[in-house]
Amino acid sequence: MSTDVEDLLREGMERFTADLRAPAGLTCQIVRRRRRRRLALRSLTGAGMALSAGAVALAVVVVPSPPHGGIDLTADVVKHVNSALTAADPGDIAQMSVTTSSASPYGGEATTTTAEEWSYGDQWRSVTYSSPGHPLYDEGYTASASSPVYTLVNYSTRTWTKRPGLGRPAAAIPFSTLPASRGCRPAIGAFPLLYKFGLPGIGLPASTLPSTVARSLRTAVACGTLTIAGRQSIDGIETIKLTSRPGSFISETIWVSPSTYLPVRVVARSASGAPAVQQTANITWLPPTAQNLAKLTVPIPAGFRKVSLSAVAAPTFRQISPALLPRPRAFCLMPAVNACGNPPLPVGGPPLGSGYR
Amino acid sequence: MAAGRSTAELERFLAERADHLLRTAVLLAGNREAGEDLLQTAVERLLRRWGRIDGDPEGYVRRTLCNLAIDGYRRAGRWRQKERLLRTELRQPQDATGDVDLRDALVRLLVQLPARQRAVLVLRYWEQLTDAEAAAVLGCSEGTVKSSGSRGLARLRELADGWTDTAAMSGRNGKRS
């Protein structure tokens, strides 16, 4: 009987579980589950903190000077945002749509540039548009076993290049000079696309991989310059609005989802006294499905010519009129920073779209 | 880039072994939902230690699954509710004519065994481990595995006898009516 039961049990186990298949994207599910659980735990231990966040945040809107308790609340929300961003890196793909509006201080027309960006772990892609639906540059890093591979497509010259390693052209605007005390950097200094004036690589040191959006935002919120400024509906989501405190050298506003604490929109404006430049980044957090991961790959359009990296970037340099080059101080967002008084920038200019319209 | 490689390796491991591990988890937990939950928890722990695990990650997940099951994984909450539901299902088989396969019944009856006995039987008869290997997974002596397995089988036999008697009775009743 014993042997019978053993055999039957063995067969039963095989049959009972025969049609079981592990769900696809198990890792993603786990990452999401961890995040959900953390948030749920916080909700429980916070004893209605989220509700009170809304109430106090609204109070902050009505009363310009927040009560002392507001500071703690801000710290708590910022902590949650930080945790959510940690869980999202590299759990989710951050998809950003960035619009840069710049009122030219040189008598030219105000310009608007749009760009899209995706980041996931060590993979990153950015498409800059000259006008809606017309890409100008498509560049990105693809992770490979040995080293990252940099790909750049220039739609205006119908050329492309690809090379292994950190092959991105050197940064033309020294954003690396942004202050980074105690690992703190404003979002504007961390986003590759923010204040990216039309040339591939601007805004990024050539020797580093672009930071993920999640990591950049985490660094930004860690600055401690944000405070709760109320609630606001963004695309139907009643978000928590965080703004930089008065006196910050860059005015930044971050809207976070109250359910996930992930930022859904970031707006950065130049500080008072500098030309009016505003960048708006709408952020969507995507699960790393095969379809979404495909967005991280730079496609090479048919008929485009492969050239060297310098040949892809050089025509862009030439198309920008020297007359349009900004005076260094004019674009300086931080008058107190020594870099603003440096000699004129080697390259630069108005946002991308202006040269091609 | 190291993190990217690790993630890729993890994805590969899960792509290859997740189905089998899910089956183990379901057998340990008693049903699919609880099994998926158990596996997710085990893989979550694996994720946390992924960079530090030496050797076979499957062994780590298997050990974690068993430990979670034995330690009374969510016993106080959802698990007990499900267990009660399962027992209800077992008391009221859908097929009242006694035509329910004993093999399926035995697996369903596993859920009524104490967690350690259940784990031993799953490791012995599903994972095909030896007593020594099962002892290593469970962190106990070989003797404990043998006695737990023996007691588990004995209990299953009793349950199975009861099951077949009930089924036969139901069958007879069915014929009468």
Side-chain angles (χ1 to χ4, degrees), chain A residues 248-293:
Chain A
S248 303
F249 46 81
I250 294 171
S251 164
E252 285 184 326
T253 307
I254 299 177
W255 287 263
V256 301
S257 160
S259 57
T260 63
Y261 284 104
L262 286 171
V264 294
R265 180 175 290 176
V266 178
V267 170
R269 291 186 187 85
S270 48
S272 58
V277 179
Q278 175 175 308
Q279 286 206 290
T280 304
N282 288 313
I283 307 166
T284 310
W285 302 90
L286 306 171
T289 60
Q291 193 181 2
N292 290 331
L293 285 169

mmCIF file of all heavy atoms in Angstrom, chain A residues 248-293:
data_model
loop_
_atom_site.group_PDB
_atom_site.id
_atom_site.type_symbol
_atom_site.label_atom_id
_atom_site.label_comp_id
_atom_site.label_asym_id
_atom_site.label_seq_id
_atom_site.Cartn_x
_atom_site.Cartn_y
_atom_site.Cartn_z
ATOM 1 N N SER A 248 15.919 79.195 -3.721
ATOM 2 C CA SER A 248 16.673 78.185 -4.458
ATOM 3 C C SER A 248 17.153 78.792 -5.765
ATOM 4 O O SER A 248 16.468 79.626 -6.360
ATOM 5 C CB SER A 248 15.789 76.976 -4.752
ATOM 6 O OG SER A 248 15.270 76.451 -3.564
ATOM 7 N N PHE A 249 18.297 78.369 -6.222
ATOM 8 C CA PHE A 249 18.849 78.992 -7.427
ATOM 9 C C PHE A 249 18.118 78.567 -8.687
ATOM 10 O O PHE A 249 18.210 79.204 -9.714
ATOM 11 C CB PHE A 249 20.349 78.751 -7.546
ATOM 12 C CG PHE A 249 20.751 77.331 -7.294
ATOM 13 C CD1 PHE A 249 20.641 76.386 -8.287
ATOM 14 C CD2 PHE A 249 21.247 76.956 -6.051
ATOM 15 C CE1 PHE A 249 21.027 75.074 -8.045
ATOM 16 C CE2 PHE A 249 21.616 75.653 -5.812
ATOM 17 C CZ PHE A 249 21.505 74.701 -6.804
ATOM 18 N N ILE A 250 17.421 77.453 -8.626
ATOM 19 C CA ILE A 250 16.572 77.052 -9.754
ATOM 20 C C ILE A 250 15.193 76.752 -9.200
ATOM 21 O O ILE A 250 15.060 76.082 -8.177
ATOM 22 C CB ILE A 250 17.137 75.800 -10.450
ATOM 23 C CG1 ILE A 250 18.481 76.142 -11.097
ATOM 24 C CG2 ILE A 250 16.172 75.272 -11.507
ATOM 25 C CD1 ILE A 250 19.219 74.956 -11.617
ATOM 26 N N SER A 251 14.176 77.237 -9.887
ATOM 27 C CA SER A 251 12.819 76.973 -9.428
ATOM 28 C C SER A 251 12.357 75.660 -10.026
ATOM 29 O O SER A 251 12.267 75.519 -11.250
ATOM 30 C CB SER A 251 11.918 78.126 -9.880
ATOM 31 O OG SER A 251 10.577 77.740 -9.774
ATOM 32 N N GLU A 252 12.088 74.710 -9.174
ATOM 33 C CA GLU A 252 11.638 73.402 -9.654
ATOM 34 C C GLU A 252 10.333 73.029 -8.972
ATOM 35 O O GLU A 252 10.150 73.293 -7.781
ATOM 36 C CB GLU A 252 12.679 72.327 -9.349
ATOM 37 C CG GLU A 252 13.874 72.395 -10.260
ATOM 38 C CD GLU A 252 14.853 71.265 -10.005
ATOM 39 O OE1 GLU A 252 14.999 70.853 -8.843
ATOM 40 O OE2 GLU A 252 15.456 70.809 -10.969
ATOM 41 N N THR A 253 9.464 72.413 -9.743
ATOM 42 C CA THR A 253 8.225 71.890 -9.182
ATOM 43 C C THR A 253 8.078 70.439 -9.621
ATOM 44 O O THR A 253 8.274 70.118 -10.801
ATOM 45 C CB THR A 253 7.009 72.704 -9.674
ATOM 46 O OG1 THR A 253 7.260 74.091 -9.412
ATOM 47 C CG2 THR A 253 5.747 72.288 -8.954
ATOM 48 N N ILE A 254 7.768 69.611 -8.675
ATOM 49 C CA ILE A 254 7.605 68.187 -8.973
ATOM 50 C C ILE A 254 6.229 67.755 -8.487
ATOM 51 O O ILE A 254 5.866 68.009 -7.337
ATOM 52 C CB ILE A 254 8.710 67.345 -8.281
ATOM 53 C CG1 ILE A 254 10.095 67.773 -8.789
ATOM 54 C CG2 ILE A 254 8.497 65.855 -8.521
ATOM 55 C CD1 ILE A 254 11.253 67.052 -8.124
ATOM 56 N N TRP A 255 5.466 67.129 -9.375
ATOM 57 C CA TRP A 255 4.154 66.608 -8.992
ATOM 58 C C TRP A 255 4.296 65.096 -8.844
ATOM 59 O O TRP A 255 4.786 64.433 -9.780
ATOM 60 C CB TRP A 255 3.128 66.913 -10.068
ATOM 61 C CG TRP A 255 2.708 68.351 -10.149
ATOM 62 C CD1 TRP A 255 1.595 68.907 -9.588
ATOM 63 C CD2 TRP A 255 3.368 69.419 -10.855
ATOM 64 N NE1 TRP A 255 1.541 70.258 -9.892
ATOM 65 C CE2 TRP A 255 2.606 70.596 -10.666
ATOM 66 C CE3 TRP A 255 4.531 69.503 -11.616
ATOM 67 C CZ2 TRP A 255 2.962 71.818 -11.215
ATOM 68 C CZ3 TRP A 255 4.900 70.712 -12.162
ATOM 69 C CH2 TRP A 255 4.119 71.868 -11.955
ATOM 70 N N VAL A 256 3.882 64.577 -7.715
ATOM 71 C CA VAL A 256 4.005 63.130 -7.509
ATOM 72 C C VAL A 256 2.634 62.505 -7.313
ATOM 73 O O VAL A 256 1.719 63.125 -6.772
ATOM 74 C CB VAL A 256 4.913 62.775 -6.303
ATOM 75 C CG1 VAL A 256 6.305 63.323 -6.481
ATOM 76 C CG2 VAL A 256 4.320 63.253 -4.998
ATOM 77 N N SER A 257 2.530 61.282 -7.777
ATOM 78 C CA SER A 257 1.280 60.547 -7.598
ATOM 79 C C SER A 257 1.140 60.159 -6.129
ATOM 80 O O SER A 257 2.081 59.620 -5.550
ATOM 81 C CB SER A 257 1.298 59.292 -8.472
ATOM 82 O OG SER A 257 0.352 58.369 -7.998
ATOM 83 N N PRO A 258 -0.014 60.405 -5.524
ATOM 84 C CA PRO A 258 -0.158 60.049 -4.112
ATOM 85 C C PRO A 258 -0.269 58.546 -3.887
ATOM 86 O O PRO A 258 -0.091 58.068 -2.774
ATOM 87 C CB PRO A 258 -1.458 60.757 -3.701
ATOM 88 C CG PRO A 258 -2.212 60.919 -4.972
ATOM 89 C CD PRO A 258 -1.212 61.029 -6.076
ATOM 90 N N SER A 259 -0.536 57.795 -4.933
ATOM 91 C CA SER A 259 -0.659 56.347 -4.741
ATOM 92 C C SER A 259 0.697 55.656 -4.883
ATOM 93 O O SER A 259 0.984 54.693 -4.175
ATOM 94 C CB SER A 259 -1.652 55.751 -5.736
ATOM 95 O OG SER A 259 -1.252 56.056 -7.051
ATOM 96 N N THR A 260 1.525 56.139 -5.790
ATOM 97 C CA THR A 260 2.825 55.478 -5.986
ATOM 98 C C THR A 260 3.990 56.322 -5.492
ATOM 99 O O THR A 260 5.094 55.818 -5.344
ATOM 100 C CB THR A 260 3.066 55.199 -7.482
ATOM 101 O OG1 THR A 260 3.119 56.461 -8.184
ATOM 102 C CG2 THR A 260 1.969 54.339 -8.072
ATOM 103 N N TYR A 261 3.752 57.595 -5.265
ATOM 104 C CA TYR A 261 4.787 58.559 -4.890
ATOM 105 C C TYR A 261 5.845 58.732 -5.987
ATOM 106 O O TYR A 261 6.939 59.210 -5.736
ATOM 107 C CB TYR A 261 5.465 58.189 -3.553
ATOM 108 C CG TYR A 261 4.592 58.516 -2.368
ATOM 109 C CD1 TYR A 261 3.921 57.515 -1.689
ATOM 110 C CD2 TYR A 261 4.414 59.829 -1.944
ATOM 111 C CE1 TYR A 261 3.084 57.810 -0.619
ATOM 112 C CE2 TYR A 261 3.600 60.129 -0.880
ATOM 113 C CZ TYR A 261 2.931 59.124 -0.217
ATOM 114 O OH TYR A 261 2.124 59.414 0.836
ATOM 115 N N LEU A 262 5.515 58.311 -7.196
ATOM 116 C CA LEU A 262 6.445 58.528 -8.303
ATOM 117 C C LEU A 262 6.114 59.851 -8.983
ATOM 118 O O LEU A 262 4.942 60.172 -9.168
ATOM 119 C CB LEU A 262 6.330 57.386 -9.317
ATOM 120 C CG LEU A 262 6.953 56.054 -8.894
ATOM 121 C CD1 LEU A 262 6.595 54.953 -9.868
ATOM 122 C CD2 LEU A 262 8.472 56.186 -8.779
ATOM 123 N N PRO A 263 7.111 60.617 -9.358
ATOM 124 C CA PRO A 263 6.856 61.892 -10.040
ATOM 125 C C PRO A 263 6.172 61.676 -11.389
ATOM 126 O O PRO A 263 6.520 60.749 -12.125
ATOM 127 C CB PRO A 263 8.257 62.471 -10.238
ATOM 128 C CG PRO A 263 9.089 61.815 -9.200
ATOM 129 C CD PRO A 263 8.538 60.437 -9.050
ATOM 130 N N VAL A 264 5.191 62.486 -11.671
ATOM 131 C CA VAL A 264 4.523 62.404 -12.968
ATOM 132 C C VAL A 264 4.814 63.643 -13.812
ATOM 133 O O VAL A 264 4.619 63.638 -15.017
ATOM 134 C CB VAL A 264 2.995 62.213 -12.822
ATOM 135 C CG1 VAL A 264 2.678 60.868 -12.194
ATOM 136 C CG2 VAL A 264 2.364 63.331 -12.008
ATOM 137 N N ARG A 265 5.282 64.697 -13.186
ATOM 138 C CA ARG A 265 5.651 65.897 -13.945
ATOM 139 C C ARG A 265 6.718 66.681 -13.184
ATOM 140 O O ARG A 265 6.672 66.763 -11.961
ATOM 141 C CB ARG A 265 4.428 66.784 -14.182
ATOM 142 C CG ARG A 265 4.764 68.052 -14.968
ATOM 143 C CD ARG A 265 3.535 68.861 -15.294
ATOM 144 N NE ARG A 265 2.703 68.205 -16.285
ATOM 145 C CZ ARG A 265 1.516 68.671 -16.693
ATOM 146 N NH1 ARG A 265 1.028 69.784 -16.178
ATOM 147 N NH2 ARG A 265 0.823 68.030 -17.606
ATOM 148 N N VAL A 266 7.654 67.205 -13.943
ATOM 149 C CA VAL A 266 8.677 68.075 -13.357
ATOM 150 C C VAL A 266 8.756 69.338 -14.207
ATOM 151 O O VAL A 266 8.804 69.246 -15.439
ATOM 152 C CB VAL A 266 10.067 67.384 -13.352
ATOM 153 C CG1 VAL A 266 11.121 68.327 -12.789
ATOM 154 C CG2 VAL A 266 10.035 66.108 -12.538
ATOM 155 N N VAL A 267 8.713 70.468 -13.571
ATOM 156 C CA VAL A 267 8.895 71.738 -14.291
ATOM 157 C C VAL A 267 10.065 72.477 -13.651
ATOM 158 O O VAL A 267 10.115 72.633 -12.426
ATOM 159 C CB VAL A 267 7.621 72.612 -14.240
ATOM 160 C CG1 VAL A 267 7.917 74.011 -14.783
ATOM 161 C CG2 VAL A 267 6.506 71.974 -15.053
ATOM 162 N N ALA A 268 11.003 72.874 -14.484
ATOM 163 C CA ALA A 268 12.152 73.650 -13.988
ATOM 164 C C ALA A 268 12.170 74.991 -14.703
ATOM 165 O O ALA A 268 11.988 75.056 -15.922
ATOM 166 C CB ALA A 268 13.440 72.893 -14.262
ATOM 167 N N ARG A 269 12.336 76.019 -13.945
ATOM 168 C CA ARG A 269 12.402 77.377 -14.523
ATOM 169 C C ARG A 269 13.712 78.015 -14.098
ATOM 170 O O ARG A 269 14.237 77.731 -13.022
ATOM 171 C CB ARG A 269 11.253 78.249 -13.995
ATOM 172 C CG ARG A 269 9.895 77.849 -14.479
ATOM 173 C CD ARG A 269 8.846 78.861 -14.028
ATOM 174 N NE ARG A 269 7.515 78.406 -14.351
ATOM 175 C CZ ARG A 269 6.792 77.587 -13.593
ATOM 176 N NH1 ARG A 269 7.298 77.148 -12.455
ATOM 177 N NH2 ARG A 269 5.594 77.203 -13.959
ATOM 178 N N SER A 270 14.175 78.898 -14.981
ATOM 179 C CA SER A 270 15.383 79.634 -14.626
ATOM 180 C C SER A 270 15.070 80.566 -13.455
ATOM 181 O O SER A 270 13.934 81.020 -13.296
ATOM 182 C CB SER A 270 15.871 80.424 -15.822
ATOM 183 O OG SER A 270 14.784 81.138 -16.383
ATOM 184 N N ALA A 271 16.073 80.809 -12.673
ATOM 185 C CA ALA A 271 15.872 81.671 -11.510
ATOM 186 C C ALA A 271 15.653 83.109 -11.957
ATOM 187 O O ALA A 271 15.933 83.468 -13.102
ATOM 188 C CB ALA A 271 17.098 81.587 -10.608
ATOM 189 N N SER A 272 15.147 83.898 -11.076
ATOM 190 C CA SER A 272 14.872 85.286 -11.428
ATOM 191 C C SER A 272 16.164 85.988 -11.863
ATOM 192 O O SER A 272 17.239 85.751 -11.320
ATOM 193 C CB SER A 272 14.276 86.008 -10.223
ATOM 194 O OG SER A 272 15.167 85.923 -9.140
ATOM 195 N N GLY A 273 16.044 86.836 -12.855
ATOM 196 C CA GLY A 273 17.204 87.545 -13.357
ATOM 197 C C GLY A 273 17.795 86.896 -14.597
ATOM 198 O O GLY A 273 18.442 87.542 -15.399
ATOM 199 N N ALA A 274 17.542 85.625 -14.789
ATOM 200 C CA ALA A 274 18.041 84.938 -15.978
ATOM 201 C C ALA A 274 16.948 84.942 -17.044
ATOM 202 O O ALA A 274 15.785 85.186 -16.734
ATOM 203 C CB ALA A 274 18.407 83.508 -15.605
ATOM 204 N N PRO A 275 17.282 84.670 -18.305
ATOM 205 C CA PRO A 275 16.258 84.610 -19.341
ATOM 206 C C PRO A 275 15.226 83.551 -19.016
ATOM 207 O O PRO A 275 15.536 82.544 -18.374
ATOM 208 C CB PRO A 275 17.054 84.216 -20.585
ATOM 209 C CG PRO A 275 18.443 84.564 -20.284
ATOM 210 C CD PRO A 275 18.609 84.425 -18.810
ATOM 211 N N ALA A 276 14.024 83.806 -19.479
ATOM 212 C CA ALA A 276 12.936 82.881 -19.157
ATOM 213 C C ALA A 276 13.093 81.589 -19.938
ATOM 214 O O ALA A 276 12.901 81.542 -21.145
ATOM 215 C CB ALA A 276 11.606 83.541 -19.481
ATOM 216 N N VAL A 277 13.498 80.598 -19.263
ATOM 217 C CA VAL A 277 13.607 79.267 -19.858
ATOM 218 C C VAL A 277 12.839 78.316 -18.953
ATOM 219 O O VAL A 277 12.997 78.355 -17.737
ATOM 220 C CB VAL A 277 15.074 78.806 -19.959
ATOM 221 C CG1 VAL A 277 15.155 77.413 -20.554
ATOM 222 C CG2 VAL A 277 15.880 79.783 -20.782
ATOM 223 N N GLN A 278 11.994 77.548 -19.573
ATOM 224 C CA GLN A 278 11.216 76.609 -18.767
ATOM 225 C C GLN A 278 11.222 75.247 -19.434
ATOM 226 O O GLN A 278 11.060 75.147 -20.644
ATOM 227 C CB GLN A 278 9.779 77.096 -18.619
ATOM 228 C CG GLN A 278 8.896 76.077 -17.885
ATOM 229 C CD GLN A 278 7.494 76.590 -17.631
ATOM 230 O OE1 GLN A 278 7.324 77.671 -17.095
ATOM 231 N NE2 GLN A 278 6.510 75.803 -18.031
ATOM 232 N N GLN A 279 11.423 74.235 -18.632
ATOM 233 C CA GLN A 279 11.349 72.885 -19.166
ATOM 234 C C GLN A 279 10.313 72.099 -18.393
ATOM 235 O O GLN A 279 10.273 72.134 -17.157
ATOM 236 C CB GLN A 279 12.701 72.202 -19.086
ATOM 237 C CG GLN A 279 13.657 72.759 -20.137
ATOM 238 C CD GLN A 279 14.709 71.763 -20.515
ATOM 239 O OE1 GLN A 279 15.574 71.497 -19.695
ATOM 240 N NE2 GLN A 279 14.659 71.231 -21.713
ATOM 241 N N THR A 280 9.468 71.421 -19.156
ATOM 242 C CA THR A 280 8.420 70.603 -18.549
ATOM 243 C C THR A 280 8.640 69.158 -18.965
ATOM 244 O O THR A 280 8.726 68.864 -20.154
ATOM 245 C CB THR A 280 7.036 71.062 -19.027
ATOM 246 O OG1 THR A 280 6.900 72.450 -18.721
ATOM 247 C CG2 THR A 280 5.926 70.280 -18.344
ATOM 248 N N ALA A 281 8.742 68.301 -18.002
ATOM 249 C CA ALA A 281 8.917 66.878 -18.288
ATOM 250 C C ALA A 281 7.725 66.119 -17.740
ATOM 251 O O ALA A 281 7.475 66.140 -16.532
ATOM 252 C CB ALA A 281 10.200 66.371 -17.653
ATOM 253 N N ASN A 282 6.969 65.506 -18.634
ATOM 254 C CA ASN A 282 5.884 64.627 -18.203
ATOM 255 C C ASN A 282 6.424 63.204 -18.174
ATOM 256 O O ASN A 282 6.995 62.734 -19.163
ATOM 257 C CB ASN A 282 4.701 64.729 -19.167
ATOM 258 C CG ASN A 282 3.990 66.057 -19.009
ATOM 259 O OD1 ASN A 282 3.701 66.493 -17.900
ATOM 260 N ND2 ASN A 282 3.742 66.729 -20.114
ATOM 261 N N ILE A 283 6.232 62.567 -17.060
ATOM 262 C CA ILE A 283 6.877 61.254 -16.877
ATOM 263 C C ILE A 283 5.841 60.159 -16.741
ATOM 264 O O ILE A 283 4.869 60.276 -15.996
ATOM 265 C CB ILE A 283 7.779 61.255 -15.625
ATOM 266 C CG1 ILE A 283 8.747 62.433 -15.695
ATOM 267 C CG2 ILE A 283 8.545 59.957 -15.496
ATOM 268 C CD1 ILE A 283 9.448 62.721 -14.386
ATOM 269 N N THR A 284 6.059 59.092 -17.483
ATOM 270 C CA THR A 284 5.218 57.900 -17.375
ATOM 271 C C THR A 284 6.128 56.747 -16.966
ATOM 272 O O THR A 284 7.228 56.611 -17.495
ATOM 273 C CB THR A 284 4.568 57.574 -18.742
ATOM 274 O OG1 THR A 284 3.962 58.752 -19.240
ATOM 275 C CG2 THR A 284 3.516 56.486 -18.607
ATOM 276 N N TRP A 285 5.651 55.945 -16.062
ATOM 277 C CA TRP A 285 6.454 54.810 -15.590
ATOM 278 C C TRP A 285 5.887 53.544 -16.206
ATOM 279 O O TRP A 285 4.744 53.175 -15.942
ATOM 280 C CB TRP A 285 6.448 54.748 -14.062
ATOM 281 C CG TRP A 285 6.987 56.021 -13.467
ATOM 282 C CD1 TRP A 285 6.269 57.135 -13.140
ATOM 283 C CD2 TRP A 285 8.346 56.341 -13.203
ATOM 284 N NE1 TRP A 285 7.104 58.119 -12.683
ATOM 285 C CE2 TRP A 285 8.391 57.666 -12.707
ATOM 286 C CE3 TRP A 285 9.545 55.634 -13.335
ATOM 287 C CZ2 TRP A 285 9.580 58.285 -12.337
ATOM 288 C CZ3 TRP A 285 10.724 56.260 -12.962
ATOM 289 C CH2 TRP A 285 10.742 57.558 -12.471
ATOM 290 N N LEU A 286 6.689 52.918 -17.033
ATOM 291 C CA LEU A 286 6.206 51.772 -17.801
ATOM 292 C C LEU A 286 6.798 50.471 -17.276
ATOM 293 O O LEU A 286 7.980 50.437 -16.916
ATOM 294 C CB LEU A 286 6.615 51.924 -19.269
ATOM 295 C CG LEU A 286 6.226 53.222 -19.980
ATOM 296 C CD1 LEU A 286 6.902 53.286 -21.335
ATOM 297 C CD2 LEU A 286 4.715 53.287 -20.136
ATOM 298 N N PRO A 287 6.010 49.409 -17.275
ATOM 299 C CA PRO A 287 6.595 48.108 -16.914
ATOM 300 C C PRO A 287 7.537 47.652 -18.025
ATOM 301 O O PRO A 287 7.310 47.977 -19.193
ATOM 302 C CB PRO A 287 5.372 47.188 -16.807
ATOM 303 C CG PRO A 287 4.332 47.847 -17.652
ATOM 304 C CD PRO A 287 4.586 49.323 -17.589
ATOM 305 N N PRO A 288 8.596 46.940 -17.671
ATOM 306 C CA PRO A 288 9.565 46.549 -18.697
ATOM 307 C C PRO A 288 9.106 45.371 -19.552
ATOM 308 O O PRO A 288 9.736 44.315 -19.567
ATOM 309 C CB PRO A 288 10.811 46.210 -17.876
ATOM 310 C CG PRO A 288 10.289 45.808 -16.558
ATOM 311 C CD PRO A 288 9.008 46.545 -16.324
ATOM 312 N N THR A 289 8.012 45.547 -20.238
ATOM 313 C CA THR A 289 7.566 44.507 -21.164
ATOM 314 C C THR A 289 8.436 44.571 -22.417
ATOM 315 O O THR A 289 9.149 45.552 -22.635
ATOM 316 C CB THR A 289 6.103 44.739 -21.558
ATOM 317 O OG1 THR A 289 6.012 46.030 -22.193
ATOM 318 C CG2 THR A 289 5.189 44.727 -20.347
ATOM 319 N N ALA A 290 8.321 43.538 -23.235
ATOM 320 C CA ALA A 290 9.131 43.506 -24.465
ATOM 321 C C ALA A 290 8.811 44.716 -25.337
ATOM 322 O O ALA A 290 9.704 45.337 -25.926
ATOM 323 C CB ALA A 290 8.859 42.209 -25.217
ATOM 324 N N GLN A 291 7.529 45.056 -25.394
ATOM 325 C CA GLN A 291 7.112 46.198 -26.223
ATOM 326 C C GLN A 291 7.723 47.502 -25.703
ATOM 327 O O GLN A 291 8.204 48.318 -26.482
ATOM 328 C CB GLN A 291 5.591 46.281 -26.201
ATOM 329 C CG GLN A 291 5.023 47.208 -27.241
ATOM 330 C CD GLN A 291 3.498 47.277 -27.162
ATOM 331 O OE1 GLN A 291 2.893 46.649 -26.302
ATOM 332 N NE2 GLN A 291 2.902 48.038 -28.041
ATOM 333 N N ASN A 292 7.708 47.665 -24.390
ATOM 334 C CA ASN A 292 8.261 48.894 -23.819
ATOM 335 C C ASN A 292 9.788 48.921 -23.892
ATOM 336 O O ASN A 292 10.388 49.972 -24.094
ATOM 337 C CB ASN A 292 7.792 49.051 -22.378
ATOM 338 C CG ASN A 292 6.314 49.360 -22.292
ATOM 339 O OD1 ASN A 292 5.747 49.956 -23.205
ATOM 340 N ND2 ASN A 292 5.678 48.939 -21.215
ATOM 341 N N LEU A 293 10.405 47.767 -23.708
ATOM 342 C CA LEU A 293 11.865 47.710 -23.792
ATOM 343 C C LEU A 293 12.357 48.063 -25.194
ATOM 344 O O LEU A 293 13.450 48.609 -25.365
ATOM 345 C CB LEU A 293 12.366 46.317 -23.399
ATOM 346 C CG LEU A 293 12.329 46.006 -21.900
ATOM 347 C CD1 LEU A 293 12.579 44.533 -21.641
ATOM 348 C CD2 LEU A 293 13.366 46.839 -21.145
#
